[in-house]
Amino acid sequence: STRILNWSGTHHVDLAPGTYHEPETQLELEALVADAYRKGQHIRPVGSALSPNGLAFDSRGMVCLSNLDKIVEINKDEMTVTVQAGARVSQVLDALRPHGLTLPNLASIAEQQIGGFVSVGAHGTGALIPPCDEFVAALTIVTPSENGVVKMTEATHGQLFRLARLGLGGLGILSEVTLKVIPAHRLVEQTSVLSRSEAKQQLPTLLKRHKHIRYMWIPYCD
């Protein structure tokens, strides 16, 4: 059997032989989804297993796209990057850096696979910065429907596209994602120590003053 642990080691799942899959090509993924549908088998996509509650774990069947991790295209004219869904955020950042580009928003770490990164609505910090799924310009999703592989944008699919961005694998498995990018820039980090009452009182001001803000709580010190 195969045992999968989440990032924090708080959850695990054991899968019987033949129920955990790591396809190496788009065609293998399509065949896997079609076969699971034909046989009535459950199959759930999992990324880097970062969820602290084991959200993507399913002992009946899982698929990981870690082998589908290519950077497909960096388009400086359109200010987009297209990647396979198994590419990690850190890989995408490394690929963008020589072009003077970066992603508009990040979570606290960069080890997520892009498919999971957008599907769970990952977010960074900042009052005026939307969650990361808002930067998805297009996606390719492998579905068990008669439509098979569907390429979606806001213009072609409207509300369904917005749902698919946050689909958690419920509508199909993301295999390719096009993300909007922005010019690379440097950030200046300022660190200060506040009591809980001070943090609560200053929050409106801090949100207006800074592009990003986050709290690290040290228990039993206030």
Side-chain angles (χ1 to χ4, degrees), residues 23-26 29 65-70 83-87 175:
E24 297 185 357
T25 67
Q26 172 78 20
L29 175 61
L65 302 190
S66 56
N67 294 317
L68 295 173
D69 64 349
K70 293 183 177 61
V83 303
Q84 290 185 312
S175 63

Side-chain angles (χ1 to χ4, degrees), residues 13-24:
V13 62
D14 294 310
L15 294 109
T19 60
Y20 178 73
H21 311 274
E22 293 184 349
E24 297 185 357

